[in-house]
Amino acid sequence: MASAPMITASVTATADKVVYEIRRKQRANGPATVLGIGTANPETCMSQDEYPDYYFRVTNSEQLLYLKDKFKRIYKS
């Protein structure tokens, strides 16, 4: 009965080493570098006041004036 705890401790220690090795191999060595290329402002920027008109023009829904007015009210709030 006395040898059972030692086997369990040995198996646990081996499992810990295996997990440690797996995690160590998944990590990068050295410093991390982040490369970001882009612009802060898109070329096609538009004001909020112009957006409802743009949306209804693009979706070919300009005839739905009641929805366009409602959309303007909702979009401004």
Side-chain angles (χ1 to χ4, degrees):
M1 295 295 282
S3 63
M6 290 180 65
I7 294 172
T8 306
S10 175
V11 171
T12 303
T14 305
D16 289 342
K17 288 180 183 178
V18 170
V19 170
Y20 174 77
E21 284 299 315
I22 291 172
R23 288 185 180 163
R24 188 182 65 76
K25 289 179 182 178
Q26 290 176 345
R27 293 190 181 110
N29 294 329
T33 303
V34 177
L35 176 63
I37 300 172
T39 58
N41 298 322
E43 293 179 13
T44 56
C45 188
M46 70 172 53
S47 68
Q48 286 184 337
D49 295 334
E50 297 171 0
Y51 185 75
D53 294 324
Y54 165 78
Y55 178 79
F56 278 87
R57 186 177 67 245
V58 169
T59 59
N60 259 350
S61 303
E62 289 185 294
Q63 74 277 8
L64 305 172
L65 296 176
Y66 68 96
L67 283 178
K68 190 175 184 181
D69 292 336
K70 187 174 184 178
F71 187 76
K72 283 182 181 181
R73 283 194 313 268
I74 292 172
Y75 201 73
K76 286 185 180 185
S77 58

